[in-house]
Amino acid sequence: MKQLRIVYHLMLADFLERIRRYDFLLMLLFTVFITYLFIPALDSFQIVGLQLGGYRSVYNSAWIGSMTTLLLGEFFLIFAFYLLKGTIERDRKTGVGQIIATTPIIRSVYMLGKWLSNVAVITAMVAIIIFSAAILQWMRGEDLSLNVWLLSAPFLIVLLPALSIIAAVAILFDSINFLRGGLGSVLFFFLAYPMVYLLFDLPGNTIIYPSIFSACSAQFAGCIPNRQIDGGLPPLQDLPTFHYEGVAWTAEIVLGRLALILVGAVIVVLAAGLFHRFDPAKADQNLFGNWLVQIKQMIWSFITVKEDGSAQEETIMPTITEHVHLTPLSSELHSNPGWLRQYSQLFLAELRLTLKGLNRFWYLIAILLIGAPLFAPSLTIGDTRLGPAEVALSLFLPLAWIWPLTIWSNIGSHEARYRVEQIVFSAPYPLRRHLPVTWLVGISIALVMAGGVIVQLVLAGLWVNLLAVCIGALFVPTLALAMGCWSGGSKLFEGLYLFFWYLSSIYSIPYLDFMGRVPVALSWGMPWVFAGLTFLLIGATVIGRQRQIKL
């Protein structure tokens, strides 16, 4: 009982700390936004929705609950990981973890408390989603009889257990040193998430969609038998309707989904075995840290063996005596340099700081992504022939703009990350000097990464696409800076950007195409929409940074 009480208080303390943060409020607003996105008005286009072959169900409680759960299972689980990740790292940075390490609390109890805190957060999110869905059913007005069970059952039985696994994976990534940073974010998106998605059927496609297909095919012969999600669908009011009664929730289905919670608990116990318990000697080790140190010691021992005939080996470490002194500033710096020189020096310093710590492997991949579009071939897909510029834009630009994710995610929050806010924000004119320079660094990285694509667009004379790419290069770092200033961390941008990137790159949804890849989006003028969003984000960034300075 004592251990359970400790788990409860750990969960409660962490949950209360998180719901008092700005990023929790932003997270709830985002859940409302995507719920609204998935339940559009009857006379408006669907940005993303279930493709049933040209049919739809009436907006009743069963349909809204099941349809929204399937769409959230496809998109929201990824976003949830980035919102939940970092709870252990936060304890390490604030020093709370080191205090906990001095107490008798064992690792498994601590990790279970953190996991349950994650589950409490996602439960709050699911509750907001259910409430928003109920309001939207009333607003759409096709069926005003609200059935709470039919509406909420898919969220509670299908979505919530899936989120509990994501919460456990977030704890696992937090407990492993090399996975708790940006590399872990990328590996989750491309490796871990597809694995758990396929292994456990997280969205519940095999549970929910058969009942939808059965209801649709009972009235129409052309219904699509497999779950299909498309973007840019026509207005719902133009489609023939059927009546959907929901899923028949059997004990086998319910127990099968509840078993996912146990799987989450097992993952957490596994994570406890890998947890460093805030040991400073282990918390900062990288993936190859011990191996490299051991290899270095072996080599050094080998080359420093004494040749005196004795079998005893002695390791002689070199004594480095380096005369350290301060370099006096030149007389030129005492004078008042021009503003261009000031900003140039500040830009180079900020760029070096932003790129500091990247290894050669990162630069090698970046060079390949920049240069590969220059050698893009022509392709024929069906009846459509794509030139080198179109291929570079469609295939290489998404890769080039996902690779610097960890760089962009830190440009608005590295002052808080390294606890230098008081130094940076007390410097003269932090809004007029430091903030624009940080923004320009992010834009420069976006333009350099898209350099090969830009050259191809110029050679092909695709000026509209080039304009869209340039606007996208403004939009992405501005979004990163705004999210960093308001959340004080990198997770919010990582989750939000990957959400947009996923929908734009994989589903080619015109409304979310910030890269200028989708021809329909260009004809709709979406680049100008993102230009307007960029201006709004600039305003949000300035306000957010002013708030940080006053704190």
Side-chain angles (χ1 to χ4, degrees):
M1 291 299 294
K2 180 181 177 181
Q3 298 298 331
L4 291 177
R5 190 166 60 252
I6 294 174
V7 170
Y8 168 74
H9 285 288
L10 281 171
M11 180 274 294
L12 183 62
D14 192 71
F15 176 70
L16 293 177
E17 194 275 336
R18 294 164 77 172
I19 63 174
R20 292 166 181 161
R21 299 168 66 92
Y22 276 101
D23 54 356
F24 182 77
L25 176 62
L26 294 174
M27 177 183 64
L28 293 183
L29 291 176
F30 183 73
T31 57
V32 174
F33 166 73
I34 61 173
T35 307
Y36 179 83
L37 191 73
F38 293 155
I39 311 175
L42 295 174
D43 58 349
S44 65
F45 285 91
Q46 302 175 76
I47 295 178
V48 61
L50 277 180
Q51 174 61 271
L52 301 179
Y55 313 103
R56 72 173 181 92
S57 171
V58 174
Y59 266 150
N60 57 16
S61 297
W63 171 248
I64 288 179
S66 297
M67 178 266 297
T68 310
T69 298
L70 284 178
L71 295 176
L72 287 170
E74 183 68 19
F75 303 113
F76 186 65
L77 297 179
I78 301 174
F79 182 72
F81 171 81
Y82 297 96
L83 294 177
L84 299 174
K85 183 169 171 277
T87 176
I88 297 176
E89 180 66 7
R90 184 170 55 252
D91 279 357
R92 190 179 74 91
K93 289 181 177 178
T94 58
V96 174
Q98 287 79 349
I99 296 174
I100 293 176
T102 62
T103 66
I105 298 176
I106 60 177
R107 289 185 295 183
S108 58
V109 169
Y110 173 77
M111 302 295 271
L112 283 173
K114 289 295 180 181
W115 175 56
L116 291 176
S117 171
N118 277 351
V119 173
V121 169
I122 60 178
T123 302
M125 294 159 55
V126 171
I128 292 296
I129 291 171
I130 294 174
F131 179 75
S132 304
I135 296 294
L136 285 169
Q137 181 187 345
W138 177 75
M139 290 175 62
R140 300 309 177 223
E142 272 199 320
D143 186 349
L144 297 178
S145 58
L146 178 65
N147 188 314
V148 177
W149 169 247
L150 291 179
L151 177 71
S152 59
F155 296 110
L156 299 177
I157 298 175
V158 175
L159 184 62
L160 197 55
L163 285 169
S164 70
I165 284 194
I166 297 297
V169 174
I171 293 292
L172 177 64
F173 273 54
D174 266 352
S175 63
I176 301 175
N177 289 342
F178 77 96
L179 292 179
R180 72 185 183 211
L183 177 61
S185 300
V186 176
L187 290 178
F188 171 80
F189 184 81
F190 289 103
L191 188 62
Y193 179 70
M195 288 177 59
V196 295
Y197 180 99
L198 297 175
L199 191 60
F200 300 111
D201 185 22
L202 292 187
N205 294 327
T206 58
I207 298 174
I208 296 179
Y209 193 75
S211 62
I212 295 176
F213 174 72
S214 176
C216 179
S217 59
Q219 192 165 343
F220 304 105
C223 293
I224 297 177
N226 299 316
R227 193 226 63 178
Q228 180 175 330
I229 295 176
D230 286 341
L233 296 173
L236 292 169
Q237 64 182 5
D238 300 333
L239 304 179
T241 62
F242 61 93
H243 199 81
Y244 177 66
E245 297 293 342
V247 179
W249 299 107
T250 63
E252 181 183 1
I253 293 176
V254 175
L255 293 177
R257 298 303 289 187
L258 291 179
L260 295 183
I261 300 177
L262 295 179
V263 173
V266 171
I267 294 174
V268 172
V269 173
L270 173 64
L274 302 172
F275 181 45
H276 48 66
R277 195 179 162 79
F278 305 107
D279 183 350
K282 300 178 180 178
D284 295 326
Q285 286 180 352
N286 56 38
L287 177 61
F288 305 106
N290 287 334
W291 299 352
L292 292 177
V293 170
Q294 292 174 4
I295 293 173
K296 183 179 178 182
Q297 290 177 346
M298 291 174 59
I299 295 174
W300 192 252
S301 301
F302 177 76
I303 64 176
T304 57
V305 172
K306 285 188 175 181
E307 298 179 351
D308 55 1
S310 63
Q312 182 180 3
E313 296 182 353
E314 182 179 354
T315 301
I316 303 175
M317 299 300 293
T319 302
I320 300 175
T321 57
E322 183 179 356
H323 180 63
V324 179
H325 61 86
L326 299 176
T327 303
L329 296 174
S330 64
S331 58
E332 294 179 356
L333 295 179
H334 288 291
S335 60
N336 184 22
W339 66 269
L340 182 59
R341 183 175 179 181
Q342 288 183 359
Y343 279 92
S344 300
Q345 292 173 341
L346 192 58
F347 176 84
L348 293 176
E350 189 68 25
L351 182 62
R352 286 197 295 269
L353 182 63
T354 303
L355 300 179
K356 185 178 181 181
L358 298 176
N359 55 37
R360 294 177 182 177
F361 175 75
W362 190 94
Y363 287 107
L364 176 62
I365 298 298
I367 292 172
L368 291 176
L369 292 174
I370 295 170
L374 299 175
F375 305 97
S378 299
L379 290 177
T380 301
I381 302 176
D383 298 333
T384 305
R385 180 172 177 76
L386 300 177
E390 287 89 353
V391 173
L393 186 63
S394 302
L395 299 182
F396 291 103
L397 186 60
L399 297 176
W401 276 4
I402 196 62
W403 191 241
L405 171 68
T406 57
I407 296 178
W408 285 325
S409 65
N410 287 320
I411 63 172
S413 61
H414 54 198
E415 295 87 3
R417 180 181 180 186
Y418 296 109
R419 304 179 187 177
V420 293
E421 305 103 312
Q422 295 177 344
I423 299 174
V424 174
F425 298 156
S426 62
Y429 313 114
L431 285 178
R432 204 170 66 192
R433 289 184 179 175
H434 181 258
L435 188 62
V437 167
T438 305
W439 182 57
L440 288 175
V441 167
I443 294 172
S444 301
I445 293 172
L447 290 174
V448 169
M449 291 302 300
V453 178
I454 290 174
V455 170
Q456 285 284 17
L457 293 176
V458 171
L459 294 176
L462 299 176
W463 305 113
V464 177
N465 297 84
L466 178 61
L467 176 65
V469 171
C470 292
I471 291 175
L474 294 175
F475 170 73
V476 175
T478 310
L479 177 66
L481 204 51
M483 295 298 103
C485 288
W486 278 100
S487 68
S490 60
K491 294 185 304 174
L492 186 61
F493 170 75
E494 289 174 359
L496 194 61
Y497 179 68
L498 278 174
F499 180 77
F500 277 101
W501 183 90
Y502 184 68
L503 292 178
S504 175
S505 304
I506 306 301
Y507 286 90
S508 298
I509 295 177
Y511 297 102
L512 302 178
D513 179 34
F514 60 90
M515 305 184 207
R517 298 171 58 250
V518 184
V520 175
L522 298 178
S523 64
W524 290 353
M526 290 307 297
W528 299 114
V529 174
F530 283 99
L533 287 175
T534 302
F535 278 108
L536 293 176
L537 289 171
I538 290 173
T541 301
V542 173
I543 296 173
R545 182 53 56 91
Q546 284 179 328
R547 181 185 65 86
Q548 288 180 311
I549 293 172
K550 292 178 181 177
L551 290 178

mmCIF file of all heavy atoms in Angstrom, residues 254-291:
data_model
loop_
_atom_site.group_PDB
_atom_site.id
_atom_site.type_symbol
_atom_site.label_atom_id
_atom_site.label_comp_id
_atom_site.label_asym_id
_atom_site.label_seq_id
_atom_site.Cartn_x
_atom_site.Cartn_y
_atom_site.Cartn_z
ATOM 1 N N VAL A 254 -13.370 -5.521 -25.933
ATOM 2 C CA VAL A 254 -13.027 -4.658 -24.791
ATOM 3 C C VAL A 254 -11.788 -5.183 -24.068
ATOM 4 O O VAL A 254 -10.858 -4.423 -23.757
ATOM 5 C CB VAL A 254 -14.232 -4.567 -23.829
ATOM 6 C CG1 VAL A 254 -13.849 -3.773 -22.587
ATOM 7 C CG2 VAL A 254 -15.422 -3.907 -24.522
ATOM 8 N N LEU A 255 -11.749 -6.488 -23.814
ATOM 9 C CA LEU A 255 -10.591 -7.058 -23.116
ATOM 10 C C LEU A 255 -9.326 -6.948 -23.962
ATOM 11 O O LEU A 255 -8.225 -6.719 -23.429
ATOM 12 C CB LEU A 255 -10.867 -8.523 -22.756
ATOM 13 C CG LEU A 255 -11.963 -8.748 -21.706
ATOM 14 C CD1 LEU A 255 -12.200 -10.240 -21.498
ATOM 15 C CD2 LEU A 255 -11.580 -8.077 -20.380
ATOM 16 N N GLY A 256 -9.483 -7.099 -25.263
ATOM 17 C CA GLY A 256 -8.328 -6.964 -26.142
ATOM 18 C C GLY A 256 -7.726 -5.570 -26.094
ATOM 19 O O GLY A 256 -6.503 -5.410 -26.098
ATOM 20 N N ARG A 257 -8.585 -4.557 -26.041
ATOM 21 C CA ARG A 257 -8.062 -3.188 -25.960
ATOM 22 C C ARG A 257 -7.526 -2.868 -24.574
ATOM 23 O O ARG A 257 -6.519 -2.160 -24.435
ATOM 24 C CB ARG A 257 -9.154 -2.180 -26.333
ATOM 25 C CG ARG A 257 -9.672 -2.302 -27.724
ATOM 26 C CD ARG A 257 -8.577 -2.192 -28.778
ATOM 27 N NE ARG A 257 -8.039 -0.861 -28.898
ATOM 28 C CZ ARG A 257 -7.176 -0.499 -29.846
ATOM 29 N NH1 ARG A 257 -6.758 -1.403 -30.735
ATOM 30 N NH2 ARG A 257 -6.696 0.725 -29.908
ATOM 31 N N LEU A 258 -8.171 -3.408 -23.537
ATOM 32 C CA LEU A 258 -7.646 -3.177 -22.187
ATOM 33 C C LEU A 258 -6.284 -3.831 -22.008
ATOM 34 O O LEU A 258 -5.456 -3.370 -21.201
ATOM 35 C CB LEU A 258 -8.633 -3.715 -21.144
ATOM 36 C CG LEU A 258 -9.960 -2.952 -21.018
ATOM 37 C CD1 LEU A 258 -10.847 -3.603 -19.966
ATOM 38 C CD2 LEU A 258 -9.718 -1.482 -20.674
ATOM 39 N N ALA A 259 -6.038 -4.903 -22.760
ATOM 40 C CA ALA A 259 -4.722 -5.554 -22.678
ATOM 41 C C ALA A 259 -3.613 -4.610 -23.138
ATOM 42 O O ALA A 259 -2.457 -4.759 -22.724
ATOM 43 C CB ALA A 259 -4.724 -6.828 -23.521
ATOM 44 N N LEU A 260 -3.968 -3.641 -23.982
ATOM 45 C CA LEU A 260 -2.953 -2.677 -24.414
ATOM 46 C C LEU A 260 -2.427 -1.865 -23.238
ATOM 47 O O LEU A 260 -1.263 -1.448 -23.230
ATOM 48 C CB LEU A 260 -3.540 -1.739 -25.477
ATOM 49 C CG LEU A 260 -3.951 -2.391 -26.805
ATOM 50 C CD1 LEU A 260 -4.433 -1.322 -27.782
ATOM 51 C CD2 LEU A 260 -2.792 -3.171 -27.399
ATOM 52 N N ILE A 261 -3.284 -1.634 -22.247
ATOM 53 C CA ILE A 261 -2.824 -0.901 -21.064
ATOM 54 C C ILE A 261 -1.780 -1.723 -20.312
ATOM 55 O O ILE A 261 -0.779 -1.189 -19.819
ATOM 56 C CB ILE A 261 -4.026 -0.556 -20.160
ATOM 57 C CG1 ILE A 261 -5.023 0.326 -20.938
ATOM 58 C CG2 ILE A 261 -3.573 0.157 -18.894
ATOM 59 C CD1 ILE A 261 -6.275 0.657 -20.166
ATOM 60 N N LEU A 262 -2.008 -3.034 -20.247
ATOM 61 C CA LEU A 262 -1.005 -3.901 -19.610
ATOM 62 C C LEU A 262 0.295 -3.895 -20.404
ATOM 63 O O LEU A 262 1.387 -3.927 -19.818
ATOM 64 C CB LEU A 262 -1.554 -5.321 -19.492
ATOM 65 C CG LEU A 262 -2.770 -5.498 -18.576
ATOM 66 C CD1 LEU A 262 -3.223 -6.962 -18.579
ATOM 67 C CD2 LEU A 262 -2.434 -5.049 -17.153
ATOM 68 N N VAL A 263 0.175 -3.866 -21.718
ATOM 69 C CA VAL A 263 1.391 -3.786 -22.544
ATOM 70 C C VAL A 263 2.151 -2.498 -22.226
ATOM 71 O O VAL A 263 3.382 -2.487 -22.114
ATOM 72 C CB VAL A 263 1.021 -3.845 -24.040
ATOM 73 C CG1 VAL A 263 2.251 -3.580 -24.906
ATOM 74 C CG2 VAL A 263 0.424 -5.192 -24.384
ATOM 75 N N GLY A 264 1.394 -1.420 -22.053
ATOM 76 C CA GLY A 264 2.029 -0.155 -21.677
ATOM 77 C C GLY A 264 2.755 -0.274 -20.349
ATOM 78 O O GLY A 264 3.878 0.236 -20.190
ATOM 79 N N ALA A 265 2.138 -0.959 -19.378
ATOM 80 C CA ALA A 265 2.783 -1.136 -18.071
ATOM 81 C C ALA A 265 4.066 -1.955 -18.205
ATOM 82 O O ALA A 265 5.073 -1.668 -17.540
ATOM 83 C CB ALA A 265 1.802 -1.805 -17.108
ATOM 84 N N VAL A 266 4.041 -2.963 -19.079
ATOM 85 C CA VAL A 266 5.251 -3.778 -19.290
ATOM 86 C C VAL A 266 6.369 -2.921 -19.891
ATOM 87 O O VAL A 266 7.547 -3.038 -19.506
ATOM 88 C CB VAL A 266 4.920 -4.974 -20.198
ATOM 89 C CG1 VAL A 266 6.189 -5.709 -20.612
ATOM 90 C CG2 VAL A 266 3.965 -5.928 -19.496
ATOM 91 N N ILE A 267 6.011 -2.064 -20.834
ATOM 92 C CA ILE A 267 7.024 -1.181 -21.438
ATOM 93 C C ILE A 267 7.632 -0.270 -20.368
ATOM 94 O O ILE A 267 8.845 -0.010 -20.356
ATOM 95 C CB ILE A 267 6.388 -0.353 -22.569
ATOM 96 C CG1 ILE A 267 5.965 -1.267 -23.713
ATOM 97 C CG2 ILE A 267 7.353 0.708 -23.068
ATOM 98 C CD1 ILE A 267 5.204 -0.566 -24.826
ATOM 99 N N VAL A 268 6.808 0.197 -19.454
ATOM 100 C CA VAL A 268 7.309 1.070 -18.393
ATOM 101 C C VAL A 268 8.257 0.315 -17.462
ATOM 102 O O VAL A 268 9.291 0.846 -17.046
ATOM 103 C CB VAL A 268 6.119 1.664 -17.602
ATOM 104 C CG1 VAL A 268 6.615 2.421 -16.380
ATOM 105 C CG2 VAL A 268 5.316 2.585 -18.489
ATOM 106 N N VAL A 269 7.920 -0.922 -17.130
ATOM 107 C CA VAL A 269 8.815 -1.732 -16.284
ATOM 108 C C VAL A 269 10.144 -1.956 -17.003
ATOM 109 O O VAL A 269 11.223 -1.890 -16.388
ATOM 110 C CB VAL A 269 8.142 -3.073 -15.938
ATOM 111 C CG1 VAL A 269 9.123 -3.987 -15.225
ATOM 112 C CG2 VAL A 269 6.910 -2.837 -15.073
ATOM 113 N N LEU A 270 10.084 -2.194 -18.319
ATOM 114 C CA LEU A 270 11.311 -2.323 -19.104
ATOM 115 C C LEU A 270 12.118 -1.028 -19.060
ATOM 116 O O LEU A 270 13.348 -1.047 -18.908
ATOM 117 C CB LEU A 270 10.962 -2.687 -20.546
ATOM 118 C CG LEU A 270 12.117 -2.694 -21.550
ATOM 119 C CD1 LEU A 270 13.124 -3.777 -21.184
ATOM 120 C CD2 LEU A 270 11.599 -2.906 -22.969
ATOM 121 N N ALA A 271 11.418 0.087 -19.179
ATOM 122 C CA ALA A 271 12.100 1.391 -19.134
ATOM 123 C C ALA A 271 12.757 1.613 -17.777
ATOM 124 O O ALA A 271 13.834 2.218 -17.695
ATOM 125 C CB ALA A 271 11.100 2.511 -19.436
ATOM 126 N N ALA A 272 12.123 1.111 -16.712
ATOM 127 C CA ALA A 272 12.707 1.261 -15.370
ATOM 128 C C ALA A 272 14.054 0.570 -15.278
ATOM 129 O O ALA A 272 14.972 1.039 -14.594
ATOM 130 C CB ALA A 272 11.745 0.719 -14.321
ATOM 131 N N GLY A 273 14.197 -0.561 -15.964
ATOM 132 C CA GLY A 273 15.476 -1.258 -15.949
ATOM 133 C C GLY A 273 16.573 -0.501 -16.669
ATOM 134 O O GLY A 273 17.758 -0.701 -16.398
ATOM 135 N N LEU A 274 16.195 0.365 -17.624
ATOM 136 C CA LEU A 274 17.186 1.150 -18.375
ATOM 137 C C LEU A 274 17.391 2.545 -17.804
ATOM 138 O O LEU A 274 18.256 3.283 -18.291
ATOM 139 C CB LEU A 274 16.724 1.274 -19.837
ATOM 140 C CG LEU A 274 16.494 -0.047 -20.575
ATOM 141 C CD1 LEU A 274 15.857 0.203 -21.939
ATOM 142 C CD2 LEU A 274 17.802 -0.798 -20.732
ATOM 143 N N PHE A 275 16.613 2.889 -16.788
ATOM 144 C CA PHE A 275 16.643 4.256 -16.258
ATOM 145 C C PHE A 275 17.919 4.485 -15.452
ATOM 146 O O PHE A 275 18.318 3.636 -14.655
ATOM 147 C CB PHE A 275 15.404 4.466 -15.391
ATOM 148 C CG PHE A 275 15.292 5.835 -14.809
ATOM 149 C CD1 PHE A 275 15.519 6.955 -15.587
ATOM 150 C CD2 PHE A 275 14.954 6.005 -13.477
ATOM 151 C CE1 PHE A 275 15.404 8.222 -15.051
ATOM 152 C CE2 PHE A 275 14.832 7.259 -12.930
ATOM 153 C CZ PHE A 275 15.066 8.367 -13.720
ATOM 154 N N HIS A 276 18.526 5.653 -15.631
ATOM 155 C CA HIS A 276 19.796 5.967 -14.951
ATOM 156 C C HIS A 276 19.609 6.494 -13.538
ATOM 157 O O HIS A 276 20.591 6.701 -12.829
ATOM 158 C CB HIS A 276 20.572 6.995 -15.759
ATOM 159 C CG HIS A 276 19.752 8.180 -16.188
ATOM 160 N ND1 HIS A 276 19.221 9.092 -15.302
ATOM 161 C CD2 HIS A 276 19.339 8.569 -17.419
ATOM 162 C CE1 HIS A 276 18.547 10.005 -15.966
ATOM 163 N NE2 HIS A 276 18.568 9.718 -17.258
ATOM 164 N N ARG A 277 18.383 6.690 -13.116
ATOM 165 C CA ARG A 277 18.057 7.197 -11.789
ATOM 166 C C ARG A 277 18.833 8.476 -11.477
ATOM 167 O O ARG A 277 19.335 8.694 -10.388
ATOM 168 C CB ARG A 277 18.315 6.127 -10.717
ATOM 169 C CG ARG A 277 17.682 6.440 -9.376
ATOM 170 C CD ARG A 277 17.945 5.331 -8.374
ATOM 171 N NE ARG A 277 17.720 5.816 -7.024
ATOM 172 C CZ ARG A 277 16.549 5.955 -6.453
ATOM 173 N NH1 ARG A 277 15.473 5.613 -7.126
ATOM 174 N NH2 ARG A 277 16.437 6.435 -5.230
ATOM 175 N N PHE A 278 18.981 9.327 -12.457
ATOM 176 C CA PHE A 278 19.584 10.654 -12.322
ATOM 177 C C PHE A 278 21.030 10.588 -11.820
ATOM 178 O O PHE A 278 21.503 11.509 -11.168
ATOM 179 C CB PHE A 278 18.739 11.549 -11.393
ATOM 180 C CG PHE A 278 17.314 11.667 -11.831
ATOM 181 C CD1 PHE A 278 16.305 11.029 -11.143
ATOM 182 C CD2 PHE A 278 16.989 12.407 -12.956
ATOM 183 C CE1 PHE A 278 14.987 11.132 -11.559
ATOM 184 C CE2 PHE A 278 15.675 12.520 -13.382
ATOM 185 C CZ PHE A 278 14.676 11.880 -12.680
ATOM 186 N N ASP A 279 21.702 9.491 -12.110
ATOM 187 C CA ASP A 279 23.122 9.384 -11.793
ATOM 188 C C ASP A 279 23.887 10.277 -12.769
ATOM 189 O O ASP A 279 23.865 10.033 -13.975
ATOM 190 C CB ASP A 279 23.563 7.927 -11.931
ATOM 191 C CG ASP A 279 25.017 7.735 -11.535
ATOM 192 O OD1 ASP A 279 25.724 8.742 -11.332
ATOM 193 O OD2 ASP A 279 25.444 6.570 -11.414
ATOM 194 N N PRO A 280 24.582 11.297 -12.284
ATOM 195 C CA PRO A 280 25.266 12.215 -13.218
ATOM 196 C C PRO A 280 26.283 11.498 -14.095
ATOM 197 O O PRO A 280 26.553 11.937 -15.210
ATOM 198 C CB PRO A 280 25.949 13.223 -12.276
ATOM 199 C CG PRO A 280 25.219 13.113 -10.991
ATOM 200 C CD PRO A 280 24.757 11.698 -10.887
ATOM 201 N N ALA A 281 26.864 10.416 -13.583
ATOM 202 C CA ALA A 281 27.859 9.688 -14.383
ATOM 203 C C ALA A 281 27.232 8.942 -15.545
ATOM 204 O O ALA A 281 27.910 8.573 -16.498
ATOM 205 C CB ALA A 281 28.603 8.704 -13.489
ATOM 206 N N LYS A 282 25.911 8.690 -15.473
ATOM 207 C CA LYS A 282 25.226 7.949 -16.528
ATOM 208 C C LYS A 282 24.259 8.805 -17.325
ATOM 209 O O LYS A 282 23.966 8.505 -18.472
ATOM 210 C CB LYS A 282 24.454 6.773 -15.924
ATOM 211 C CG LYS A 282 25.325 5.766 -15.188
ATOM 212 C CD LYS A 282 24.473 4.659 -14.582
ATOM 213 C CE LYS A 282 25.330 3.655 -13.838
ATOM 214 N NZ LYS A 282 24.497 2.599 -13.194
ATOM 215 N N ALA A 283 23.756 9.866 -16.702
ATOM 216 C CA ALA A 283 22.704 10.647 -17.351
ATOM 217 C C ALA A 283 23.185 11.367 -18.594
ATOM 218 O O ALA A 283 22.401 11.635 -19.501
ATOM 219 C CB ALA A 283 22.123 11.653 -16.360
ATOM 220 N N ASP A 284 24.479 11.704 -18.649
ATOM 221 C CA ASP A 284 24.989 12.461 -19.791
ATOM 222 C C ASP A 284 25.759 11.610 -20.778
ATOM 223 O O ASP A 284 26.384 12.118 -21.688
ATOM 224 C CB ASP A 284 25.894 13.607 -19.300
ATOM 225 C CG ASP A 284 25.104 14.632 -18.508
ATOM 226 O OD1 ASP A 284 23.924 14.845 -18.859
ATOM 227 O OD2 ASP A 284 25.651 15.192 -17.552
ATOM 228 N N GLN A 285 25.752 10.291 -20.574
ATOM 229 C CA GLN A 285 26.452 9.432 -21.516
ATOM 230 C C GLN A 285 25.658 9.304 -22.810
ATOM 231 O O GLN A 285 24.439 9.228 -22.777
ATOM 232 C CB GLN A 285 26.649 8.034 -20.925
ATOM 233 C CG GLN A 285 27.723 7.968 -19.859
ATOM 234 C CD GLN A 285 27.872 6.562 -19.324
ATOM 235 O OE1 GLN A 285 27.090 5.676 -19.644
ATOM 236 N NE2 GLN A 285 28.872 6.366 -18.492
ATOM 237 N N ASN A 286 26.398 9.315 -23.930
ATOM 238 C CA ASN A 286 25.714 9.072 -25.191
ATOM 239 C C ASN A 286 25.752 7.593 -25.523
ATOM 240 O O ASN A 286 26.214 6.778 -24.739
ATOM 241 C CB ASN A 286 26.332 9.912 -26.324
ATOM 242 C CG ASN A 286 27.809 9.643 -26.457
ATOM 243 O OD1 ASN A 286 28.244 8.513 -26.301
ATOM 244 N ND2 ASN A 286 28.583 10.680 -26.739
ATOM 245 N N LEU A 287 25.263 7.274 -26.722
ATOM 246 C CA LEU A 287 25.127 5.878 -27.108
ATOM 247 C C LEU A 287 26.447 5.131 -27.089
ATOM 248 O O LEU A 287 26.537 4.004 -26.642
ATOM 249 C CB LEU A 287 24.501 5.797 -28.510
ATOM 250 C CG LEU A 287 24.346 4.409 -29.114
ATOM 251 C CD1 LEU A 287 23.444 3.555 -28.246
ATOM 252 C CD2 LEU A 287 23.790 4.514 -30.529
ATOM 253 N N PHE A 288 27.534 5.774 -27.549
ATOM 254 C CA PHE A 288 28.816 5.091 -27.663
ATOM 255 C C PHE A 288 29.811 5.573 -26.610
ATOM 256 O O PHE A 288 31.008 5.345 -26.740
ATOM 257 C CB PHE A 288 29.412 5.329 -29.062
ATOM 258 C CG PHE A 288 28.475 4.942 -30.172
ATOM 259 C CD1 PHE A 288 27.826 5.914 -30.911
ATOM 260 C CD2 PHE A 288 28.226 3.622 -30.465
ATOM 261 C CE1 PHE A 288 26.951 5.556 -31.932
ATOM 262 C CE2 PHE A 288 27.353 3.261 -31.482
ATOM 263 C CZ PHE A 288 26.720 4.234 -32.213
ATOM 264 N N GLY A 289 29.265 6.293 -25.601
ATOM 265 C CA GLY A 289 30.153 6.912 -24.628
ATOM 266 C C GLY A 289 31.088 5.922 -23.968
ATOM 267 O O GLY A 289 32.314 6.088 -23.979
ATOM 268 N N ASN A 290 30.602 4.854 -23.371
ATOM 269 C CA ASN A 290 31.446 3.911 -22.657
ATOM 270 C C ASN A 290 32.399 3.186 -23.595
ATOM 271 O O ASN A 290 33.555 2.964 -23.276
ATOM 272 C CB ASN A 290 30.584 2.897 -21.922
ATOM 273 C CG ASN A 290 29.920 3.517 -20.711
ATOM 274 O OD1 ASN A 290 30.436 4.475 -20.154
ATOM 275 N ND2 ASN A 290 28.775 2.988 -20.328
ATOM 276 N N TRP A 291 31.892 2.791 -24.747
ATOM 277 C CA TRP A 291 32.738 2.077 -25.685
ATOM 278 C C TRP A 291 33.921 2.941 -26.114
ATOM 279 O O TRP A 291 35.051 2.493 -26.148
ATOM 280 C CB TRP A 291 31.930 1.653 -26.908
ATOM 281 C CG TRP A 291 30.802 0.738 -26.603
ATOM 282 C CD1 TRP A 291 30.524 0.144 -25.400
ATOM 283 C CD2 TRP A 291 29.790 0.310 -27.496
ATOM 284 N NE1 TRP A 291 29.409 -0.618 -25.489
ATOM 285 C CE2 TRP A 291 28.923 -0.542 -26.770
ATOM 286 C CE3 TRP A 291 29.525 0.553 -28.830
ATOM 287 C CZ2 TRP A 291 27.811 -1.133 -27.333
ATOM 288 C CZ3 TRP A 291 28.428 -0.039 -29.412
ATOM 289 C CH2 TRP A 291 27.581 -0.873 -28.668
#
